Amino acid sequence: MAENPVKWLFLILASCLCFAFVLSESNLLIKKTYIVQMHKSAMPASFSSPLEWYSSKLKSVMSDTQSEVEGDGENRIIYSYQNAFHGVAAQLTEEEAERLKQEDGVVAILPETKYELHTTRSPMFLGLEPEESTSIWSQKLADHDVIVGVLDTGIWPESASFNDTGMTPVPAHWKGTCETGRGFQKHHCNRKIVGARVFYRGYEAATGKINEKNEYKSPRDQDGHGTHTAATVAGSLVRGANLLGYAYGTARGMAPGARIAAYKVCWTGGCFSSDILSAVDRAVGDGVNVLSISLGGGASSYSHDSLAIATFGAMEMGVFVSCSAGNGGPDPVSLTNVSPWITTVGASTMDRDFPGSVKLGSGRTISGVSLYKGRRLLQANKQYPLVYMGSNSSSPNPSSLCLDGTLDPHVVSGKIVICDRGINPRVQKGQVVKDAGGVGMILTNTAANGEELVADCHLLPAVAVGEMEGKAIKHYALTNGKPTATLAFLGTRLGVRPSPVVAAFSSRGPNFLTLEILKPDVVAPGVNILAAWTGELGPSSLPTDHRRVRFNILSGTSMSCPHVSGIAALIKARHPDWSPAAVKSALMTTAYVHDNIHNPLQDSSTAAASTPYDHGAGHINPLKALDPGLIYDISAQDYFEFLCTQKLTAMQLKAFSKHSNMSCHHNTLATPGDLNYPAISVVFPEDTAISTLTLHRTVTNVGPPASHYHVAVSPFKGVTIKVEPKTLNFTRRNQKLSYKISFTRKSPQTIPEFGGLVWKDGVHKVRSPIAITWLPPF
């Protein structure tokens, strides 16, 4: 009898091992999506097309059995790329992907990556005058020739923001089309929406078929994000725009004369890199001038970032690319989309907010914000019971966070509930309170959000307050025997001071991928932005929200990115011959770093001065960007030389040389800091024997032919700075002159130092931010 347990144990272990072996074998047979980059010039002459060659390569790594069952390798191909990128997205097993890496002509194999969305008054705040005046919105034919490709969740074509009245015929260079599907037909495109496409093959390969009853498998936007960003870029003028009465006024995009091409790459389950890559590739082939991409998937090395590789190709073709920096702030090193050929955009506030107030039973009134406008209103002269389900601890718990199912109706019914911010969406907390019978909500910031206030269109009376005031309210609720409160909603307030302020959620530098490239590049309005909205979803985006609105107010770097995309379109209309780098330079060197009370820009998370790691070159200034005086231009070869300093292998570099077979010259760029970037980032190595670092820059005169500039540099504690020459004397337009700037150690600092360099001619101020970092000795 004693042998039986041992016998059974042996059988169980053997079964487990067998199961594990079968499981591992089955995992090896599971197909996943891989992006396969090919070197087009390596294609043998025997193939009639790149697609035939790509198919042959795929078939060569398939087993004989699979080849018999599946036939040609073309059946595995999801997308074929041919403009910004050469290669395919294909379904492969891990073993096949490994074998394919060894094949001639294969440059790189990248696994599918999931990206997330980085989720008015802004034209006036940015200094753009009314359209009727003689302003940069003058309806020149050239304005109508600029086309902005928006990669997002699609578009709601019925919105008045996409009215094409008065627009000229679609530019002859446009090669795009209007794809059709459920809820979207050819007539939904017009002279404003000149193209609309969908990209879902990578999404379906990863998550299964889209349920077409629940989701539009067409360019129609049921999420709202894509409609909002497209309207921010180039929405037509709409008078009387508002959200339930808030922010009433005239809505218009940054470049209302520009065209929109909508590329739907995001679905209910996210956005996938093979789809995004196909959209970039197609947009370049279609003829867009600007790409606006309000999404990100985390930081990867240049050679493993499919979006970086694709946008390099777009830049080579003259397309300006603007991407959101991410919503990972205020944590440092939280940036996405940091490639130097991408314009990386952080978020800031405007001089408009939506005040609300909390009046406690103690008589104290606390200020907050809200966009609540519903039938359920709290009486101003009545106090309601107040409850907080947390404790004196600084750590929130599920009940204090108002997570789904955590509130006891017996405790919260008929009361105003205090909810800590975090984990679940802010508006969903209000739904949780409402479901439990609460009559209102006070949403309190935690340390992660500080004093930043973001207004939301809640489903019940609710006011958001900052961290310090939130602590005071919670202390009152926990220590008073019968705490009470009431909430009030005060509409729209203009002229807020100080503004702009860097948003706490806006992702921060430094750029650890390459410290010598200062990121983000700029900040732009990204808090409480009013723009067009889908007719499919309520303003809170909750399925229980049955309200329908034409405009919505959203916050995120997703909102700041299209502001920059639209301003870039204006610059391209004014200067069609400018390179993407020239447009970026104009935006950066004219940005401002002081608010409307003449103090340095603040960081919302600390209420202290922000730094270039937070705001980059500063806040965009569209009018000045149209006439920057000087620009720092960068060619595709220059960017490639930069990559040559990044320790990439020869094969990895080939990923970026697909169009012109570029090679490293080595003598043109000594260090990554010598890239002709409009921002200057100096990194002193741990070797203290290196006492001086010298960087080089070249500026191009785009102002009057005879222009004379002199330099001014802010003082630093840790270094002495010398600029040679101190003056630049131009005699003709488009003339290039160079200077060098030397940094000599004086007193190394334990934290980075920041300042600026400015070239002045009496009219223009061409400013470059400076960051100095000392690496610690090992």
Side-chain angles (χ1 to χ4, degrees), residues 629 704 707-710 759-765:
S707 297
H708 308 284
Y709 287 84
H710 66 276
W759 289 101
K760 305 175 185 179
D761 71 345
V763 176
H764 305 95
K765 292 182 179 179

Side-chain angles (χ1 to χ4, degrees), residues 28 34 74 101 160 194 214 224 287 312 476 603 610 625 652 674 689 707:
L28 289 174
Y34 291 87
E74 189 171 347
K101 285 180 183 177
V194 297
N214 300 332
F312 187 98
Y476 165 73
D603 178 350
S610 60
Q652 288 170 338
D674 265 341
S707 297

Side-chain angles (χ1 to χ4, degrees), residues 158-233:
E158 291 82 3
S159 171
S161 292
F162 308 125
N163 187 312
D164 68 349
T165 301
M167 297 197 76
T168 58
V170 177
H173 77 268
W174 178 243
K175 299 182 182 68
T177 190
C178 191
E179 295 181 358
T180 61
R182 186 168 76 91
F184 204 96
Q185 301 304 320
K186 291 286 187 186
H187 72 268
H188 286 121
C189 287
N190 56 17
R191 293 179 176 184
K192 168 61 74 175
I193 304 173
V194 297
R197 296 183 185 271
V198 292
F199 302 85
Y200 52 78
R201 295 176 193 166
Y203 176 77
E204 287 193 333
T207 66
K209 290 288 184 183
I210 291 170
N211 185 333
E212 295 190 49
K213 290 182 179 179
N214 300 332
E215 190 166 10
Y216 290 106
K217 199 172 178 179
S218 75
R220 181 168 292 278
D221 175 23
Q222 68 191 55
D223 178 274
H225 191 278
T227 298
H228 198 279
T229 56
T232 302
V233 171

Side-chain angles (χ1 to χ4, degrees), residues 306-530:
S306 57
L307 185 57
I309 296 169
T311 53
F312 187 98
M315 172 274 300
E316 279 189 278
M317 305 297 281
V319 178
F320 175 91
V321 182
S322 174
C323 291
S324 47
N327 298 338
D331 292 342
V333 200
S334 50
L335 292 165
T336 64
N337 302 318
V338 296
S339 298
W341 48 90
I342 290 173
T343 298
T344 311
V345 188
S348 55
T349 65
M350 294 191 298
D351 63 344
R352 177 186 68 192
D353 68 9
F354 308 100
S357 66
V358 179
K359 186 173 183 180
L360 301 177
S362 63
R364 183 179 177 187
T365 299
I366 290 169
S367 296
V369 297
S370 181
L371 289 169
Y372 177 71
K373 192 68 168 281
R375 287 170 292 185
R376 299 176 59 176
L377 288 172
L378 303 182
Q379 296 176 33
N381 57 356
K382 179 183 175 181
Q383 288 282 308
Y384 297 82
L386 179 67
V387 63
Y388 177 54
M389 304 300 290
S391 65
N392 281 318
S393 168
S394 59
S395 300
N397 60 49
S399 294
S400 76
L401 289 163
C402 300
L403 302 181
D404 196 24
T406 62
L407 298 182
D408 184 349
H410 294 99
V411 177
V412 306
S413 183
K415 298 177 182 177
I416 295 174
V417 182
I418 302 168
C419 297
D420 288 319
R421 189 169 161 184
I423 306 297
N424 57 337
R426 300 181 299 270
V427 288
Q428 190 178 343
K429 295 176 188 291
Q431 182 67 55
V432 172
V433 172
K434 184 179 178 183
D435 290 344
V439 297
M441 176 179 72
I442 300 171
L443 182 64
T444 62
N445 279 3
T446 60
N449 316 109
E451 302 309 308
E452 175 182 69
L453 298 178
V454 178
D456 293 298
C457 199
H458 292 282
L459 285 167
L460 86 170
V463 172
V465 299
E467 182 194 11
M468 297 304 294
E469 298 287 30
K471 285 180 178 178
I473 295 171
K474 287 185 280 190
H475 177 75
Y476 165 73
L478 291 169
T479 58
N480 189 289
K482 290 186 177 180
T484 60
T486 191
L487 309 176
F489 308 97
L490 308 175
T492 303
R493 181 176 63 164
L494 304 177
V496 174
R497 297 152 73 93
S499 63
V501 172
V502 178
F505 61 75
S506 186
S507 289
R508 313 302 169 97
N511 168 19
F512 264 22
L513 198 55
T514 308
L515 279 171
E516 292 86 352
I517 301 299
L518 188 60
K519 291 279 183 172
D521 292 310
V522 290
V523 291
V527 179
N528 298 334
I529 304 301
L530 180 78

